[in-house]
Amino acid sequence: MTVLITVWGASPGVGKSTLCAGLSRWLADTGLRVDHFREEEILTRPQFASVAAEFETTGTVAPATLIASTARFVDAVVANGDDVVVADALMPFVPTLLAMGHGEAAIDAFMTQLTEVLARVHPVMVFLDGDAGAALSRAVTREGEQWLDWFIGKLAAHEVTPPVADLASAVTYLRHERAVTLDAVRRKGWGLVMIDRADERPPDEVLQATQRALGRLGLLPTSPPEPSA
């Protein structure tokens, strides 16, 4: 059985990419065939060429384009014989749909289609939870103040709801994005692993907590032992 682990979080800066790299190494070390799908690869993976072309041409991507590209990706994963895909901020595309103005009814219909397409790769979301404001501060420390201006500007340009014009409104929007994303995944019956206080914990602790949680789902190799009380 192929497993798709898609990693999301409460905010940029919460540690998604670091966790994806750690999970990919761990799973590969167990002898599994692992595809590490990095966030920026959606613009270069051949199965998502239509997504990249549509976005470049129009600045938006239709839900049908996302579904068709995902179906091609699932076909490729199965054909390659991959055991696990570790995807950094890819599916379920809910933040993308919100940014493009789709309401919750449209997102629900999209998620129904997406879940059917992903049936062959058993989707599991790992959600790194925490304080969005604190995580954004971590991102600024890493990327610089100009990154925050770019991020706020991107959200403002998409005219998201609630609207974003500054740091405080960006945090409010990210909390809304979190709620809609988690609700959509839960209602469609995806596996869900919540890692609390991810913005406060060191990366190795987040990785170990994720390994244990995935192990309890019974989908992956033996995980590290639970910490003693």
Side-chain angles (χ1 to χ4, degrees):
M1 177 179 63
T2 303
V3 178
L4 167 69
I5 302 171
T6 183
V7 180
W8 279 91
S11 167
V14 79
K16 299 186 303 296
S17 298
T18 300
L19 176 61
C20 286
L23 283 175
S24 297
R25 287 192 298 269
W26 166 58
L27 293 165
D29 286 346
T30 69
L32 295 177
R33 183 165 180 161
V34 179
D35 178 5
H36 180 185
F37 196 132
R38 294 168 176 81
E39 185 172 8
E40 65 274 11
E41 290 179 10
I42 194 169
L43 298 176
T44 58
R45 291 267 181 148
Q47 299 84 15
F48 287 90
S50 59
V51 171
E54 193 170 310
F55 183 76
E56 183 177 349
T57 301
T58 68
T60 63
V61 180
T65 305
L66 293 172
I67 292 293
S69 295
T70 301
R72 288 191 291 270
F73 177 67
V74 170
D75 287 342
V77 167
V78 173
N80 289 341
D82 295 325
D83 298 303
V84 186
V85 178
V86 178
D88 183 350
L90 183 63
M91 297 150 205
F93 305 112
V94 171
T96 299
L97 297 176
L98 286 172
M100 294 180 181
H102 294 283
E104 293 185 31
I107 290 173
D108 184 74
F110 173 85
M111 283 293 294
T112 297
Q113 289 183 280
L114 182 66
T115 301
E116 292 172 356
V117 168
L118 295 177
R120 290 186 290 165
V121 291
H122 201 109
V124 176
M125 172 182 279
V126 174
F127 194 89
L128 301 183
D129 211 1
D131 180 81
L136 281 178
S137 295
R138 283 175 52 171
V140 170
T141 298
R142 184 185 67 220
E143 305 291 344
E145 288 289 341
Q146 73 283 356
W147 177 87
L148 183 60
D149 293 338
W150 168 83
F151 180 69
I152 291 172
K154 181 182 75 166
L155 293 178
H158 283 309
E159 298 183 355
V160 296
T161 302
V164 172
D166 53 21
L167 176 59
S169 56
V171 170
T172 299
Y173 171 73
L174 287 170
R175 289 171 180 160
H176 172 68
E177 181 184 272
R178 170 193 182 277
V180 175
T181 301
L182 290 175
D183 181 61
V185 166
R186 286 173 173 138
R187 283 187 292 105
K188 299 308 174 184
W190 291 30
L192 178 61
V193 170
M194 294 291 293
I195 305 298
D196 296 329
R197 299 182 298 103
D199 57 311
E200 303 173 14
R201 301 159 77 172
D204 59 340
E205 185 178 325
V206 171
L207 174 60
Q208 290 168 10
T210 305
Q211 289 169 328
R212 288 191 292 269
L214 290 171
R216 287 194 292 271
L217 292 178
L219 300 173
L220 296 168
T222 304
S223 57
E226 296 283 352
S228 57

